[in-house]
Amino acid sequence: MSSSSRIALLILLPLALLAGAARAQSTAEDEARRRAANIAAFPDAARAHFGQKTTPAAAMKARAIGSYARGCLAGGKALAPDGESWQVMRRARNRNWGHPELIDYLESFAREVPKLTGWAGLLVGDISQARGGPMLTGHASHQIGLDADIWLTPMPRKRLDADDRENMPAVNMARADWRDVDPKNWTPAHTRLIKAAASEPRVERIFVNPALKVALCREAGSDRNWLNKVRPIWGHNYHFHIRMSCPPGVEGCAGQEPPNFGDGCGEELAGWIERQYKAIFNPPKPKPGPKPKPKPPMSLDALPQECRQVLVSR
């Protein structure tokens, strides 16, 4: 990474972390306001087209089309808002859609959670939109129905009402200095939960905040192979992100390379921690002068051609 790139990263990182925190804590009113503003600003952007589709392309065979951050979803399946051991959060966003392979996995995973953790179950955050594609707010990925956010807040034993689901804040698991987890909130059950998800053969990656990865590396014990899939990334201090591999036989789904970089608990992680700390507590001052214009959002032409068919399908 060049020195100019590092400086740009350190300038942008605090904003990214704050934006991630805001999204995790945002209310339905906040979300609706941002969605409306983004549609008005760029009505022809891919995110405006896909963000306003509320039903799946049900007439099409289930397919994850394109890549995690540049694609769409045909034949999506909804995760039921209420399950025996899960509840969908932020339901007004209508982002509880995914490829059937992911939805089936989430349902079976949630049923194991009480035995794994002692919790009542999982609080499930964003998966994908009804037809995938770029979102009006939030994620760059989650576009092909193979990504899912799982809250690190245990599901309460009492069912949450509609207001709680839209407005209840998630719990920040990072310590105040962002170098480790907060022992008041983090428990061994969190490690067991993430280990179980990473140990699933169909899961390609797990993303967590660097501070959480520190705890996972420390608590992993002698069985460390699952850590290879667990990668540090900005934000992700309220939830962890499950990414499924492309299902076998699905044409046009572009997966990632299998993890081949070891457990990631050494120098690489230390670098993430230091960059995060500096960006939050000692960021470089922005250069004087007018701010550059924001980059226009992704256009429909940037997506695989099949995504246009997904948009118009019934």
Side-chain angles (χ1 to χ4, degrees):
M1 183 183 290
S2 67
S3 59
S4 59
S5 297
R6 288 192 185 94
I7 292 172
L9 175 65
L10 291 173
I11 292 172
L12 293 173
L13 177 54
L15 300 177
L17 288 168
L18 288 172
R23 286 194 296 274
Q25 310 296 356
S26 65
T27 65
E29 183 179 348
D30 296 331
E31 177 76 10
R33 188 184 307 114
R34 285 197 296 271
R35 289 170 64 93
N38 286 341
I39 291 171
F42 294 97
D44 294 324
R47 69 185 187 186
H49 290 282
F50 281 94
Q52 295 181 85
K53 290 292 184 181
T54 59
T55 58
M60 300 180 71
K61 180 181 177 181
R63 284 181 63 202
I65 301 169
S67 64
Y68 300 99
R70 193 179 292 268
C72 58
L73 171 66
K77 178 181 178 181
L79 178 67
D82 287 281
E84 180 183 349
S85 52
W86 74 83
Q87 296 180 67
V88 171
M89 303 298 286
R90 306 303 192 248
R91 288 185 57 189
R93 297 181 184 182
N94 193 33
R95 293 178 180 174
N96 58 315
W97 299 88
H99 189 281
E101 187 95 3
L102 173 62
I103 301 303
D104 291 348
Y105 166 67
L106 291 175
E107 290 175 351
S108 62
F109 181 50
R111 293 187 187 104
E112 296 298 314
V113 165
K115 291 182 285 186
L116 280 169
T117 63
W119 302 353
L122 294 177
L123 298 178
V124 181
D126 289 351
I127 304 175
S128 288
Q129 299 175 134
R131 304 189 187 206
M135 294 185 180
L136 281 164
T137 60
H139 316 275
S141 61
H142 290 254
Q143 293 193 25
I144 59 175
L146 295 175
D147 294 288
D149 289 343
I150 305 297
W151 282 32
L152 290 161
T153 307
M155 186 180 95
R157 298 196 177 277
K158 181 181 178 182
R159 288 278 155 174
L160 299 172
D161 62 24
D163 183 68
D164 285 333
R165 292 197 190 200
E166 298 302 334
N167 301 306
M168 187 182 95
V171 176
N172 180 12
M173 294 290 157
R175 201 169 65 188
D177 63 0
W178 290 81
R179 292 185 180 275
D180 207 326
V181 293
D182 186 339
K184 297 193 302 293
N185 299 323
W186 182 267
T187 69
H190 289 97
T191 298
R192 294 195 298 272
L193 180 70
I194 294 173
K195 178 181 178 179
S199 299
E200 163 61 45
R202 293 173 294 173
V203 169
E204 189 164 85
R205 294 286 193 281
I206 300 288
F207 297 109
V208 299
N209 188 271
L212 277 59
K213 173 85 177 188
V214 169
L216 295 172
C217 289
R218 181 176 60 244
E219 298 170 9
S222 57
D223 177 13
R224 306 183 68 81
N225 288 337
W226 59 277
L227 286 168
N228 295 4
K229 293 182 183 178
V230 182
R231 310 306 299 163
I233 196 168
W234 312 128
H236 294 75
N237 49 308
Y238 295 93
H239 68 269
F240 71 101
H241 178 151
I242 294 175
R243 172 166 290 172
M244 296 283 284
S245 301
C246 289
V250 175
E251 294 183 8
C253 180
Q256 292 181 273
E257 290 184 15
N260 57 1
F261 21 61
D263 65 15
C265 293
E267 185 177 346
E268 178 197 8
L269 179 57
W272 277 92
I273 290 292
E274 289 307 314
R275 289 192 298 273
Q276 179 167 264
Y277 182 87
K278 290 178 181 177
I280 295 171
F281 297 104
N282 189 28
K285 294 181 180 180
K287 293 181 179 180
K291 295 180 179 179
K293 291 184 178 180
K295 183 179 178 181
M298 191 180 298
S299 68
L300 283 175
D301 289 339
L303 299 175
Q305 185 64 32
E306 297 97 321
C307 291
R308 289 181 179 269
Q309 183 181 355
V310 169
L311 271 178
V312 300
S313 176
R314 293 187 176 183

